[in-house]
Amino acid sequence: MKVPELPCRPSRIPCPHDSLLNNKWVNPYADTLKRLRDAFDSGRTRPAEFRLIQLRGLSRFLNENRKLLLDTLAQDLSKPAFEADISEIILCETEIKLALNNLHTWMKDERVEKNLVTQLDSAFIRKEPYGVTLIISPWNYPLNLLLMPLVGAIAAGNCVVLKPSEISKSMEKVIAEVLPQYLDKNCFATVLGGPQEATILLKNRFDYIFFTGSPRVGRIVMSAASKYLTPITLELGGKNPCYVDDNCDPQNVANRVAWFRFFNAGQTCVAPDYILCTRETQEKLLPALQNAVTQFYGKDPQGSPDLGRIISDKHFHRLRGLLGNGRAAIGGQSDEQERYIAPTVLVDVKETDPVMQEEIFGPILPILNVQSIDEAIAFIRKREKPLALYAFSKNSKVVNKVLDQTSSGNFGGNDGFMFMTMTSMPFGGVGHSGMGEYHGKFTFDAFSHRRGCLLRSPYLEMIDKIRYPPYSPGHQRLLVWILEHKLSFPCSIL
Amino acid sequence: MSKISETVQRARAAFNSGKTRPLKFRIQQLENLQRMMKEREEEITEALYADLHKSKWCALYEECTYAFEEVKYALANLPQWILDEPVEKNDNTKDGQAYIHSEPLGVVLIIGSWDYPFILSIQPLVGAIAAGNVVVLKPSELSEQTAILLATLLPQYLDKDLFPVINGGVPETTELLKEKFDHILFTGSTGVGKIIMTAAAKHLTPVTLELGGKSPCYIDKDCDLDIACRRITWGKFMNCGQICLAPDYILCDPALQGQVVEKIKKTLKEFYGDDAKSSHDYGRMVNSRHFKRVMSLIEGQKVAYGGNGDEASRYIAPTILTDVDPRSQVMQEEIFGPVLPIICVKSLDEAIQFINERPKPLALYVFSNNDQVIKKMIAETSSGGVTANDVIAHADVHTLPFGGIGDSGMGSYHGKKSFEIFSHRRSCLIKPLKKEDSDKVRFPPFSAKASLK
């Protein structure tokens, strides 16, 4: 379908800040960014129809390449098809459908309540795209973590530069070669490369940056963004604590914790990172966890088609190093050829051990013992705010106590990260685990500038006269009265 | 450890004690703030007069009243804002509770500005308190008397460990920025905004930056010129032009320029008399540096009115410049003074192009009786906010988020938005811990399961 022609707007003359791009270094992205900026300035992405076309393009991309995408995810991460379906493809399809069905509503001006002085006026919030935006996505859910922000960015009317992770090589290739066939080439571009290329890319001005990755790189992105005062969303990570109360059904808990921990071979930003429980509960959990692992992956998990692999040699070696911390009560095996790490539970782990110093991001689950819930809460509060926090107990008061006395991006009571499937709740971090939120309409909001607009009547100058000098004490009294009283008139001159 | 570091550590410990969280506490602090504004109105208006030659009316109308309204609005709505927000569940999450829980962020830093030194400290403070945070307030040192007053008054009405005031200049602010905060709200210039965001990046601290820029004001041929000029005059020359929302420059057709000048002149005389210097209602430049800066912008320009100043009293006459060259210095920086350049453009399209060639402003103003002109102007430009057929007024509507975009800032606040930016909205999904059966379908082994498609 042909995109309706728009009257051409004059394209933007480079702003003084573009001087950063001059002379001293070669900007390999200049042409790409100019193309996108010209396209944005022409108004191409603004009509709802254009955005719908792009979103339908994304939908077709998923539909027509389903097998390719599943194979690609298998190549990069040995991701089982079921996992890939539910955590990547289906989630993206849900987001696209939501955007398609709700775009017109999301785009509408939002009328707001006024006070008397402005009763004959029209006050509303106009949602506007930021402009040329950048999405940097990681390797662990290389389709989902690229497409989900992209859906919102498109819905909000932006042009987008995509920078997929170079570590998930197969998906990177698909994003570079297949995805562009489904999107407008003037408004969307893919940029490839590693840290060096990303550093140069970040020297350019973007109107919004959406980054998913580690806190360390998050700082670098924010620092680069500050040169241009670019607003950002950072979806970072951390160590997600999982408190297991004495009052629980150990098998039930073990099933849930194990599944969410070992999903994607543990390479999930919201996976439970470590357990806090009493020694007593640990003794009950261990056989239950072994039970769960055996049920899920069989007696020899390495032979199970349902367990993923570690993304790279570097991460494999990093994780293998952690296997020696404490004692492996379950698992502990590894295979370098396959980058396989067995579903592992570590006990006798100390707070100072390496496995407790970094986000594990692998199928290793340390258990640390505490004597009480208060000790668990104190332990959690000493550390950086995590992206997710879990509490398991039959007693809802216990769950609520953990919720009330801690902070985290998101919270799961008696389950793992099912909240990731909900488009009605915002997903994001706090503190070191990030800033900003997305999913569903929240992604549209993240990529929109909400512009407060007041259209005043040129009439009724009488009411406004009191604000003009020269001033007398009577002015003040009258104004206070006016501000305090809100009457509801029918509104809107324009 | 430095005194600043100690103050921040103490604030953090105080936050960790949980004292600021209960609704009752927050309401009590906000009511105390209200009381402070009522009881100490004299001292507040005197400080504003000392800093900026703000008349009592201006101080009350432009600062105190709106600050008071903000507290009132927060008090009336806080019990609602603080509630968990239930959300729609899907098939996977039917059997649980799902809601968004608002939590305080922790220790918030508010850096105030000197142009509206009272409200630009108090208004963000209201939101931060409402959201349950501890706040470190750093008023601008350029509005010295107000800074000193805030440091004196706040501890008398608010808990001084929870809401310390730190005064000082660049060295103190630099030191303060080394500390970790959970949110920083800064009002000031674009240049310093970048410094703040860079410092915040080290701790991954989210920021709200209320910056500035040149807010354009387009006057259409089809408009009530008398009203337009009166409103523009009011907004441009209040506080001697030192307001981030001032209409910075005018864009209009050359045929209108002469009339615009005459009408603004007439209005200026109505407002401030023939000699604004003797008007009680006309402000002064905040200091000698800004006085000199703004006077230099007039040099070499065609002065249609005013143009003179007096360094001793930091007075600059209301000044109108005509046929201004867009390349001249007065069009390169935010004027922040009582100097109003008029740039001639031959059409709405030319005006739009002119605006789009420049950094995105904090506000955009358009005067027209023609609906289509206003709609086109809004649709084809970008700015923090817009007021049509008036100036500044959008900032006074509690329900509109107030903030910039691009060089004019990021994030927004006022009213409920303040509560939101100073809160973490934590998504919570809580399920019952019961028999597993219904959930087993999601567990491996998967090969036994039918394909989902």
Side-chain angles (χ1 to χ4, degrees), chain A residues 10 121 141 162 165 207 222 225 315-316 342 385 429 435:
Chain A
D121 309 328
Y141 290 83
L162 296 168
S165 170
D207 301 305
M222 187 169 174
H315 281 283
F316 171 81
K385 294 175 188 176
M435 57 182 77

PDB file of all heavy atoms in Angstrom, chain A residues 10 121 141 162 165 207 222 225 315-316 342 385 429 435:
ATOM      1  N   PRO A  10      10.635  21.677   4.966  1.00  0.00           N
ATOM      2  CA  PRO A  10      12.055  21.967   4.733  1.00  0.00           C
ATOM      3  C   PRO A  10      12.911  21.116   5.649  1.00  0.00           C
ATOM      4  O   PRO A  10      12.569  20.932   6.798  1.00  0.00           O
ATOM      5  CB  PRO A  10      12.175  23.450   5.103  1.00  0.00           C
ATOM      6  CG  PRO A  10      10.961  23.781   5.868  1.00  0.00           C
ATOM      7  CD  PRO A  10       9.896  22.828   5.491  1.00  0.00           C
ATOM      8  N   ASP A 121     -10.668  27.600  27.665  1.00  0.00           N
ATOM      9  CA  ASP A 121      -9.532  27.221  26.855  1.00  0.00           C
ATOM     10  C   ASP A 121      -9.547  25.729  26.606  1.00  0.00           C
ATOM     11  O   ASP A 121     -10.364  24.997  27.139  1.00  0.00           O
ATOM     12  CB  ASP A 121      -8.229  27.589  27.584  1.00  0.00           C
ATOM     13  CG  ASP A 121      -8.247  29.030  28.049  1.00  0.00           C
ATOM     14  OD1 ASP A 121      -8.857  29.866  27.364  1.00  0.00           O
ATOM     15  OD2 ASP A 121      -7.648  29.306  29.104  1.00  0.00           O
ATOM     16  N   TYR A 141      18.117 -12.319  24.617  1.00  0.00           N
ATOM     17  CA  TYR A 141      16.824 -12.473  23.952  1.00  0.00           C
ATOM     18  C   TYR A 141      16.912 -11.561  22.730  1.00  0.00           C
ATOM     19  O   TYR A 141      16.273 -10.513  22.656  1.00  0.00           O
ATOM     20  CB  TYR A 141      15.661 -12.084  24.893  1.00  0.00           C
ATOM     21  CG  TYR A 141      15.470 -13.075  26.009  1.00  0.00           C
ATOM     22  CD1 TYR A 141      16.255 -13.006  27.163  1.00  0.00           C
ATOM     23  CD2 TYR A 141      14.567 -14.129  25.899  1.00  0.00           C
ATOM     24  CE1 TYR A 141      16.137 -13.951  28.170  1.00  0.00           C
ATOM     25  CE2 TYR A 141      14.424 -15.077  26.904  1.00  0.00           C
ATOM     26  CZ  TYR A 141      15.218 -14.983  28.034  1.00  0.00           C
ATOM     27  OH  TYR A 141      15.097 -15.909  29.041  1.00  0.00           O
ATOM     28  N   LEU A 162      18.864   0.665  14.617  1.00  0.00           N
ATOM     29  CA  LEU A 162      18.941  -0.549  15.437  1.00  0.00           C
ATOM     30  C   LEU A 162      20.386  -0.988  15.541  1.00  0.00           C
ATOM     31  O   LEU A 162      21.092  -1.060  14.532  1.00  0.00           O
ATOM     32  CB  LEU A 162      18.149  -1.680  14.770  1.00  0.00           C
ATOM     33  CG  LEU A 162      16.647  -1.446  14.634  1.00  0.00           C
ATOM     34  CD1 LEU A 162      16.039  -2.484  13.694  1.00  0.00           C
ATOM     35  CD2 LEU A 162      15.977  -1.545  15.995  1.00  0.00           C
ATOM     36  N   SER A 165      23.121  -6.852  19.123  1.00  0.00           N
ATOM     37  CA  SER A 165      24.370  -7.336  19.699  1.00  0.00           C
ATOM     38  C   SER A 165      25.154  -8.161  18.680  1.00  0.00           C
ATOM     39  O   SER A 165      24.594  -8.983  17.957  1.00  0.00           O
ATOM     40  CB  SER A 165      24.079  -8.181  20.929  1.00  0.00           C
ATOM     41  OG  SER A 165      25.254  -8.832  21.352  1.00  0.00           O
ATOM     42  N   ASP A 207      17.799  11.495  19.289  1.00  0.00           N
ATOM     43  CA  ASP A 207      16.757  12.171  20.050  1.00  0.00           C
ATOM     44  C   ASP A 207      16.240  11.323  21.193  1.00  0.00           C
ATOM     45  O   ASP A 207      15.552  11.826  22.079  1.00  0.00           O
ATOM     46  CB  ASP A 207      15.625  12.595  19.115  1.00  0.00           C
ATOM     47  CG  ASP A 207      16.132  13.518  18.024  1.00  0.00           C
ATOM     48  OD1 ASP A 207      16.752  14.552  18.362  1.00  0.00           O
ATOM     49  OD2 ASP A 207      15.959  13.207  16.837  1.00  0.00           O
ATOM     50  N   MET A 222      24.740   6.525  29.154  1.00  0.00           N
ATOM     51  CA  MET A 222      24.169   7.750  29.750  1.00  0.00           C
ATOM     52  C   MET A 222      25.143   8.914  29.637  1.00  0.00           C
ATOM     53  O   MET A 222      24.763  10.058  29.367  1.00  0.00           O
ATOM     54  CB  MET A 222      23.782   7.515  31.212  1.00  0.00           C
ATOM     55  CG  MET A 222      23.035   8.691  31.832  1.00  0.00           C
ATOM     56  SD  MET A 222      22.321   8.273  33.427  1.00  0.00           S
ATOM     57  CE  MET A 222      21.673   9.874  33.974  1.00  0.00           C
ATOM     58  N   ALA A 225      25.043  10.126  26.173  1.00  0.00           N
ATOM     59  CA  ALA A 225      23.766  10.822  25.948  1.00  0.00           C
ATOM     60  C   ALA A 225      23.787  12.219  26.551  1.00  0.00           C
ATOM     61  O   ALA A 225      23.156  13.146  26.039  1.00  0.00           O
ATOM     62  CB  ALA A 225      22.620  10.013  26.549  1.00  0.00           C
ATOM     63  N   HIS A 315      31.809 -16.138  28.092  1.00  0.00           N
ATOM     64  CA  HIS A 315      30.853 -16.296  29.197  1.00  0.00           C
ATOM     65  C   HIS A 315      30.913 -17.697  29.780  1.00  0.00           C
ATOM     66  O   HIS A 315      30.726 -17.894  30.987  1.00  0.00           O
ATOM     67  CB  HIS A 315      29.441 -15.946  28.728  1.00  0.00           C
ATOM     68  CG  HIS A 315      29.199 -14.471  28.678  1.00  0.00           C
ATOM     69  ND1 HIS A 315      28.955 -13.731  29.813  1.00  0.00           N
ATOM     70  CD2 HIS A 315      29.212 -13.591  27.653  1.00  0.00           C
ATOM     71  CE1 HIS A 315      28.812 -12.449  29.472  1.00  0.00           C
ATOM     72  NE2 HIS A 315      28.969 -12.347  28.170  1.00  0.00           N
ATOM     73  N   PHE A 316      31.195 -18.683  28.928  1.00  0.00           N
ATOM     74  CA  PHE A 316      31.313 -20.056  29.424  1.00  0.00           C
ATOM     75  C   PHE A 316      32.429 -20.139  30.467  1.00  0.00           C
ATOM     76  O   PHE A 316      32.250 -20.682  31.558  1.00  0.00           O
ATOM     77  CB  PHE A 316      31.578 -21.019  28.266  1.00  0.00           C
ATOM     78  CG  PHE A 316      31.930 -22.394  28.739  1.00  0.00           C
ATOM     79  CD1 PHE A 316      30.940 -23.289  29.117  1.00  0.00           C
ATOM     80  CD2 PHE A 316      33.269 -22.798  28.848  1.00  0.00           C
ATOM     81  CE1 PHE A 316      31.262 -24.555  29.590  1.00  0.00           C
ATOM     82  CE2 PHE A 316      33.594 -24.071  29.317  1.00  0.00           C
ATOM     83  CZ  PHE A 316      32.592 -24.951  29.681  1.00  0.00           C
ATOM     84  N   ALA A 342      25.916 -27.453  33.468  1.00  0.00           N
ATOM     85  CA  ALA A 342      24.791 -28.198  34.054  1.00  0.00           C
ATOM     86  C   ALA A 342      23.977 -27.290  34.962  1.00  0.00           C
ATOM     87  O   ALA A 342      24.523 -26.392  35.592  1.00  0.00           O
ATOM     88  CB  ALA A 342      25.330 -29.375  34.852  1.00  0.00           C
ATOM     89  N   LYS A 385      19.868  -1.919  44.122  1.00  0.00           N
ATOM     90  CA  LYS A 385      18.480  -2.313  43.838  1.00  0.00           C
ATOM     91  C   LYS A 385      18.445  -3.201  42.596  1.00  0.00           C
ATOM     92  O   LYS A 385      18.955  -2.822  41.535  1.00  0.00           O
ATOM     93  CB  LYS A 385      17.632  -1.063  43.599  1.00  0.00           C
ATOM     94  CG  LYS A 385      17.490  -0.188  44.835  1.00  0.00           C
ATOM     95  CD  LYS A 385      16.734   1.098  44.525  1.00  0.00           C
ATOM     96  CE  LYS A 385      16.775   2.046  45.715  1.00  0.00           C
ATOM     97  NZ  LYS A 385      16.132   3.342  45.427  1.00  0.00           N
ATOM     98  N   GLY A 429      13.756  -0.988  35.536  1.00  0.00           N
ATOM     99  CA  GLY A 429      14.580  -1.093  36.732  1.00  0.00           C
ATOM    100  C   GLY A 429      14.533   0.168  37.572  1.00  0.00           C
ATOM    101  O   GLY A 429      13.818   1.123  37.276  1.00  0.00           O
ATOM    102  N   MET A 435      16.602   2.751  34.486  1.00  0.00           N
ATOM    103  CA  MET A 435      15.686   3.886  34.599  1.00  0.00           C
ATOM    104  C   MET A 435      14.762   3.891  33.388  1.00  0.00           C
ATOM    105  O   MET A 435      15.174   3.563  32.280  1.00  0.00           O
ATOM    106  CB  MET A 435      16.467   5.197  34.694  1.00  0.00           C
ATOM    107  CG  MET A 435      17.409   5.472  33.555  1.00  0.00           C
ATOM    108  SD  MET A 435      18.334   7.023  33.761  1.00  0.00           S
ATOM    109  CE  MET A 435      19.572   6.548  34.956  1.00  0.00           C
TER     110      MET A 435
END
